[in-house]
Amino acid sequence: MTETRFDPAVADDRWQRAWTDAGTFTADSNSPKPKSYILEMFPYPSGRIHMGHVRNYTMGDVLARYQKMRGFEVLHPMGWDAFGMPAENAAMEKGVHPGGWTRQNIAQMKAQLQRIGFALDWTREFATCDPEYYGHEQALFADLYEAGLVYRKESTVNWDPVDMTVLANEQVIDGKGWRSGAEVEKRKLNQWFLKITDFADDLLEGLGSLEDWPEKVRLMQENWIGKSQGLEFSFDLSDGGKLAVYSTRPDTIFGASFCAIAADHPIAQSLAADPEVAAFIDQCKKGATTAAALETAEKLGYRTPITAKHPFTGADLPVFIANFVLMEYGTGAVMGVPGHDQRDFEFATKYELPILRVVASDPAKADEPFKGEAEAGDGVIVNSDFLNGMSVEDAKQAVITRAESGGWGEGRTVWRLRDWGVSRQRYWGTPIPFIHCDACGVVPVPKDQLPVTLPEDVSFDIPGNPLERHPTWKHVDCPKCGAAARRETDTLDTFVDSSWYFLRFASQPADRPFDPEEVAKWMPVQHYIGGIEHAILHLLYARFWTRALAHIGKISVAEPFAALFTQGMVTHETYSRIDATRGVPVFFGPEEVNRSSEGATLLADGGTVEVGRVIKMSKSKKNVVDPDNIIARHGADAVRWFMLSDSPPERDLPWSDAGIEGCARFVQRLWRLFGQASAGGAGADAEYDKALDRKLHQTVAAVAEDIEALSFNKAVARIYELVGAVEKAPLSSTRSDAIRKLAVLVSPMMPHLAEEARATYGLGTGLVAESAWPDVDPALLVDDEVTIAIQHMGKLRDTVTAPKGASKDALEALALASANLQRSVDGAAIRKIIVVPDRLVNIVT
RNA sequence: GCGGGCGUGGCGGAAUGGUAGACGCCGGGGACUUAAAAUCCCCUGAGCUUUGCUCGUGCGGGUUCGAGUCCCGCCGCCCGUACCA
């Protein structure tokens, strides 16, 4: 046979059409087969598919194709998380409509995904900006309102005083508005909230059932929900009033040396007649609202004339207004224990307040000075009257008991988790379906009037919410009394859109968000794959929506995702030069640079550029590789193979040209091997090659195991080994059989190559994508012989071959017969011999 | 600041507490070729007094017959931190 090359430019398109024509990946909910729902986090349509998407969807694709070969009816859908800020930014910068921009991006990205040959059921595609989708979302939101899970309250936002608009945290840079450069202020707005805290206990409990979630994600969610037992109690104030505080560390109450209240605490407000106090309160309003900004900002306080009486010692503690205390948490006031809380320590140091030790590593160290920081750890209570000698836990209980019997406080379970603020003062999102009437108050839009659609005629030439300033959109009649009323102009957080999309993929009736019976057939998602950056918010919100919908009887599953996998990023080295005049680095893209093993030069002028760290691909660092170019050059299968090779899927994957070229070479190497399928083997028993057959069966079993564990890099390594072994094996029927099965084995990763090889070389009938995974003969999985390590004092001295399952005595004898071992032992008395069957013998002298 | 994770050759990585470096990339040598590409074969952690020995999994301790793996304390980097998605 003349040697040919595999041509992905022809084959990729041919097989993508064949799968579409055959409806290979269209999920049938009425199939009698067991169901498997494979889902990757749907993309935001930013414009182009990037390598991170390719990696994410390749992993899901391998699973989907593999599961299909294992006899499952697979649902593997794709859609678009299409609302969000980038569309509005594009509208501002380019003068386009967010909807048009988004639709164009979707069309482009869909075509890109199709060129990679993903086994997706495109019949279920939708975008969250489809009025049909967000209309159903509005109906669900109204249902949750009816169930008492939606309410309104004041909360703080970032306010740009120049642009007169709310800023997202991302739009606040170093405490300033990204466009205006003005110092950001905190401002209060009346906003919509979802009662996720009603489900705090359920969401925490539920983590225990998520055995196939990464331990780290469960831990992060547990800490985020943050259940803790503490004490709420009141101080008697010098002005005759009371100050309620909450503490998770009542055990340290004897260490309290001050109290601190939030700037918008009623007591602070009551003192605001004093211009100094008013000025301080104003100062506290400066800055952004993020936890990181609040926690790292310099601790500032204003000492009020009021003092608080310590409930045990009777000491008068100064009361401060402080910028690090938030009205939203607990009671908006805290007791300051500088010795055992880092924030309090910094505050006390600045304002020269006593720093008392009430916890020590042991009672003898009750007077040990602090080493420049608070000690938040465990220990024994000291300097604390009746608590002395107790553990931290016992002391907490003792204080709570004493407060409750004394009637001045009580134990309370509190959660770190806060209710979910879903209001956004933006255009490109789901309109919140409510109407404000002066007479009737807040009235939901009747369901037969849904969807509340976004107006098309909006402008983005000035900052702020276009819905707010639209001439007619918000002016409506009250559905209840018919009087003139105002439509809500806030839209929903886009995390709401992504909190139930997996249900809509499973079932898409026109008149309802989903059909519970159809949903029950597919849910929960068997494998959910996406980035670790979603470990908390998206995954917690989706879990909450699922539980909330179950709570109001819409569905019967409690947890949406049976198994979760968080994949790493695709990274690339950076190329830069320092701009001589401005002193800042100027970055260059990989296509502008000639990279050799010694370094890199700029194609434009031949001068050297600095090769920087390997970091996440980003436009600003220009270290982006476009999947389209790579697919055009090497074909989809080489890219897919690269995405799965080398790096474990949960870790970052550094992109390299050498790597993708190696993958493209391997595709051709396999193609050549597939061409040898009919060489030599006539099927006679004499041609049976047991060693090769064993390798084949072991590899099939191991690759299946690796895919199921999503250890794609190990599956890839196994396949390399098998390919090497088949290439080296003499011609035989076993070898031909191995080649045919190899095409099936690699097909989840390299589906186009597998189909083309089967069709060209007659390796089987029908589509590989619709074939069964090869069977494994368990008898061939076990080796007859094993290599035994011979150690002296834990150091390797020799290896010997022994029959599998050899007795301890036999292995001991083999070890002692080793000349290398004897030389090392050098006649010393043997104290002990450790034998690990089929593994090693360790001689201890 | 707080919560979580990661750290192994030149590079990506493999390794139920049991032979550290499988597999791939890069690099070196060779075969084939008029030549190149492609392909194939061999070598490739460091060092040494090289039948073999010593060192070596971010740093410092510890547990163990035996530690990349378990424990304690550090360092560095990454993710999240509630209005980026």
Side-chain angles (χ1 to χ4, degrees):
Chain A
M1 183 172 294
T2 57
E3 195 160 289
T4 60
R5 284 179 65 79
F6 171 67
D7 183 5
V10 176
D12 285 3
D13 185 59
R14 174 185 300 148
W15 297 106
Q16 286 160 20
R17 276 172 204 280
W19 298 322
T20 305
D21 292 347
T24 304
F25 305 119
T26 306
D28 175 9
S29 66
N30 294 318
S31 163
K33 294 182 192 172
K35 309 278 189 297
S36 179
Y37 186 176
I38 312 283
L39 185 66
E40 299 96 56
M41 293 179 186
F42 65 164
Y44 176 78
S46 56
R48 305 280 298 166
I49 289 292
H50 57 68
M51 281 296 175
H53 293 129
V54 177
R55 191 180 191 203
N56 189 181
Y57 303 144
T58 300
M59 290 179 194
D61 202 58
V62 171
L63 268 180
R65 287 173 178 273
Y66 169 79
Q67 295 268 44
K68 184 173 175 63
M69 299 176 99
R70 292 317 292 253
F72 288 90
E73 184 67 26
V74 174
L75 172 57
H76 186 217
M78 182 56 70
W80 309 94
D81 188 14
F83 277 135
M85 286 206 307
E88 293 195 22
N89 294 339
M92 277 186 266
E93 282 160 25
K94 298 170 190 163
V96 294
H97 190 276
W101 181 83
T102 301
R103 292 283 165 202
Q104 224 167 22
N105 289 345
I106 288 174
Q108 179 157 244
M109 292 169 76
K110 182 177 179 182
Q112 285 186 291
L113 289 181
Q114 287 173 323
R115 282 196 282 279
I116 310 170
F118 291 137
L120 291 164
D121 181 354
W122 285 105
T123 66
R124 296 172 187 247
E125 177 194 8
F126 63 82
T128 56
C129 63
D130 297 342
E132 189 180 317
Y133 181 80
Y134 71 70
H136 292 311
E137 184 167 303
Q138 289 166 339
L140 290 174
F141 190 74
D143 289 337
L144 295 180
Y145 176 79
E146 217 168 285
L149 292 172
V150 174
Y151 68 100
R152 284 162 64 72
K153 73 167 178 186
E154 280 215 318
S155 74
T156 312
V157 294
N158 303 305
W159 181 256
D160 186 321
V162 171
D163 278 351
M164 302 290 282
T165 186
V166 176
L167 296 177
N169 286 334
E170 194 190 48
Q171 298 172 318
V172 178
I173 296 162
D174 295 331
K176 300 193 170 67
W178 65 332
R179 285 171 192 280
S180 69
E183 197 156 335
V184 169
E185 296 171 2
K186 299 182 186 76
R187 174 176 276 219
K188 296 223 156 178
L189 287 182
N190 212 2
Q191 307 206 73
W192 293 89
F193 280 81
L194 280 170
K195 270 196 192 168
I196 190 172
T197 52
D198 274 12
F199 292 79
D201 235 330
D202 290 347
L203 289 166
L204 185 62
E205 285 280 304
L207 291 173
S209 70
L210 299 175
E211 285 160 25
D212 293 324
W213 279 42
E215 182 65 35
K216 62 176 171 180
V217 175
R218 286 189 283 166
L219 238 185
M220 278 190 263
Q221 293 214 349
E222 185 181 325
N223 290 335
W224 185 263
I225 295 167
K227 184 177 188 172
S228 67
Q229 182 69 26
L231 174 68
E232 183 173 331
F233 67 98
S234 288
F235 285 100
D236 291 327
L237 298 179
S238 56
D239 66 357
K242 283 187 180 294
L243 176 64
V245 301
Y246 176 81
S247 173
T248 55
R249 291 294 304 273
D251 53 300
T252 62
I253 192 164
F254 283 90
S257 58
F258 66 95
C259 288
I261 61 176
D264 36 8
H265 192 280
I267 292 175
Q269 295 295 324
S270 73
L271 297 171
D274 179 343
E276 249 186 84
V277 173
F280 182 77
I281 290 174
D282 268 351
Q283 195 182 359
C284 289
K285 281 190 185 149
K286 285 187 183 151
T289 58
T290 65
L294 295 169
E295 298 279 346
T296 54
E298 193 192 357
K299 310 291 176 278
L300 296 176
Y302 178 87
R303 187 169 187 153
T304 71
I306 302 169
T307 58
K309 190 173 278 296
H310 192 288
F312 290 120
T313 67
D316 289 322
L317 308 179
V319 175
F320 284 79
I321 304 168
N323 66 343
F324 64 92
V325 182
L326 297 177
M327 198 61 219
E328 276 101 355
Y329 310 130
T331 60
V334 298
M335 68 169 186
V337 184
H340 306 286
D341 181 282
Q342 186 57 26
R343 287 178 312 182
D344 296 350
F345 188 95
E346 288 170 31
F347 192 82
T349 305
K350 187 175 170 81
Y351 294 99
E352 296 178 337
L353 299 163
I355 300 174
L356 311 170
R357 174 179 290 281
V358 290
V359 181
S361 55
D362 77 75
K365 292 179 179 169
D367 298 313
E368 198 167 62
F370 290 95
K371 299 185 188 94
E373 59 180 15
E375 293 177 17
D378 210 351
V380 178
I381 305 296
V382 295
N383 302 323
S384 298
D385 191 10
F386 68 98
L387 300 176
N388 285 342
M390 290 187 191
S391 70
V392 165
E393 268 320 301
D394 290 348
K396 278 184 189 176
Q397 276 316 314
V399 173
I400 291 171
T401 305
R402 189 71 76 98
E404 287 178 345
S405 62
W408 51 271
E410 58 180 8
R412 241 179 77 190
T413 300
V414 292
W415 306 86
R416 212 188 74 94
L417 182 69
R418 314 194 310 252
D419 275 336
W420 176 13
V422 292
S423 279
R424 298 292 181 272
Q425 294 72 40
R426 273 186 268 283
Y427 168 77
W428 194 232
T430 299
I432 296 178
F434 282 86
I435 289 166
H436 301 276
C437 170
D438 288 336
C440 310
V442 169
V443 182
V445 174
K447 284 210 173 159
D448 58 9
Q449 291 173 29
L450 296 179
V452 175
T453 54
L454 291 165
E456 287 291 316
D457 52 332
V458 285
S459 67
F460 293 89
D461 42 3
I462 50 170
N465 182 358
L467 293 178
E468 185 65 40
R469 60 170 187 267
H470 188 277
T472 56
W473 189 75
K474 71 175 174 183
H475 302 294
V476 290
D477 293 339
C478 172
K480 231 184 207 168
C481 69
R486 297 170 316 283
R487 194 185 284 294
E488 172 63 61
T489 57
D490 283 356
T491 50
L492 288 172
D493 179 4
T494 57
F495 273 128
V496 175
D497 309 334
S498 52
S499 288
W500 70 284
Y501 76 108
F502 41 88
L503 301 174
R504 184 72 187 166
F505 274 145
S507 157
Q508 323 193 304
D511 58 337
R512 290 167 294 165
F514 44 77
D515 176 338
E517 282 178 28
E518 284 290 298
V519 163
K521 288 182 186 173
W522 294 108
M523 290 293 289
V525 173
Q526 276 304 305
H527 282 281
Y528 192 43
I529 310 176
I532 184 68
E533 67 273 19
H534 294 295
I536 295 172
L537 293 182
H538 161 59
L539 288 165
L540 194 64
Y541 293 148
R543 291 183 61 219
F544 160 63
W545 264 72
T546 304
R547 280 179 185 272
L549 293 177
H551 176 74
I552 62 174
K554 297 269 173 194
I555 51 173
S556 50
V557 282
E559 288 289 343
F561 313 122
L564 172 73
F565 189 85
T566 56
Q567 107 271 5
M569 297 176 299
V570 181
T571 58
H572 195 284
E573 58 189 15
T574 54
Y575 309 106
S576 65
R577 271 183 193 163
I578 301 295
D579 181 294
T581 52
R582 290 182 300 151
V584 294
V586 177
F587 290 93
F588 301 100
E591 70 289 341
E592 300 176 88
V593 165
N594 180 28
R595 180 79 166 99
S596 71
S597 53
E598 296 94 58
T601 55
L602 193 64
L603 291 173
D605 61 15
T608 57
V609 291
E610 195 186 327
V611 177
R613 283 196 313 123
V614 177
I615 56 173
K616 179 179 181 172
M617 286 189 180
S618 81
K619 280 182 192 163
S620 64
K621 300 290 188 297
K622 286 207 178 172
N623 60 338
V624 176
V625 175
D626 189 90
D628 268 7
N629 296 336
I630 304 296
I631 291 165
R633 191 173 317 151
H634 300 291
D637 289 341
V639 176
R640 296 169 61 107
W641 188 251
F642 182 81
M643 290 291 122
L644 302 165
S645 302
D646 296 352
S647 287
E650 68 277 11
R651 273 202 237 172
D652 290 351
L653 170 68
W655 178 269
S656 78
D657 289 339
I660 185 68
E661 279 157 23
C663 292
R665 277 200 299 274
F666 183 62
V667 169
Q668 298 300 337
R669 184 174 154 200
L670 269 179
W671 179 252
R672 287 192 297 275
L673 187 60
F674 289 144
Q676 300 169 14
S678 46
D685 284 350
E687 290 189 87
Y688 180 61
D689 180 341
K690 184 164 186 185
L692 184 64
D693 204 27
R694 180 172 275 160
K695 182 80 185 169
L696 171 69
H697 282 255
Q698 288 174 347
T699 303
V700 171
V703 167
E705 233 172 78
D706 289 337
I707 289 176
E708 284 168 30
L710 285 88
S711 299
F712 303 113
N713 57 321
K714 293 189 220 167
V716 163
R718 301 269 190 193
I719 289 170
Y720 274 117
E721 280 187 55
L722 178 63
V723 167
V726 174
E727 284 172 336
K728 285 185 184 66
L731 297 184
S732 68
S733 61
T734 312
R735 187 175 188 269
S736 297
D737 177 57
I739 290 172
R740 279 189 289 272
K741 285 185 177 149
L742 189 58
V744 180
L745 199 62
V746 300
S747 70
M749 293 93 155
M750 298 191 273
H752 309 88
L753 174 72
E755 300 284 7
E756 185 77 0
R758 176 179 279 192
T760 306
Y761 298 122
L763 306 185
T765 51
L767 289 168
V768 183
E770 295 182 351
S771 305
W773 186 255
D775 287 329
V776 170
D777 179 356
L780 288 169
L781 296 183
V782 194
D783 284 317
D784 308 331
E785 287 189 327
V786 289
T787 304
I788 303 293
I790 296 173
Q791 298 180 337
H792 176 215
M793 303 298 285
K795 283 184 187 292
L796 182 71
R797 289 299 176 232
D798 206 351
T799 58
V800 293
T801 305
K804 189 172 173 66
S807 71
K808 286 199 170 194
D809 289 348
L811 292 176
E812 207 176 296
L814 270 173
L816 293 172
S818 158
N820 285 348
L821 187 271
Q822 287 301 340
R823 180 149 22 85
S824 180
V825 170
D826 196 21
I830 294 173
R831 289 194 293 132
K832 198 169 166 188
I833 299 180
I834 289 152
V835 180
V836 182
D838 293 336
R839 286 213 89 103
L840 65 75
V841 180
N842 185 17
I843 309 292
V844 183
T845 57

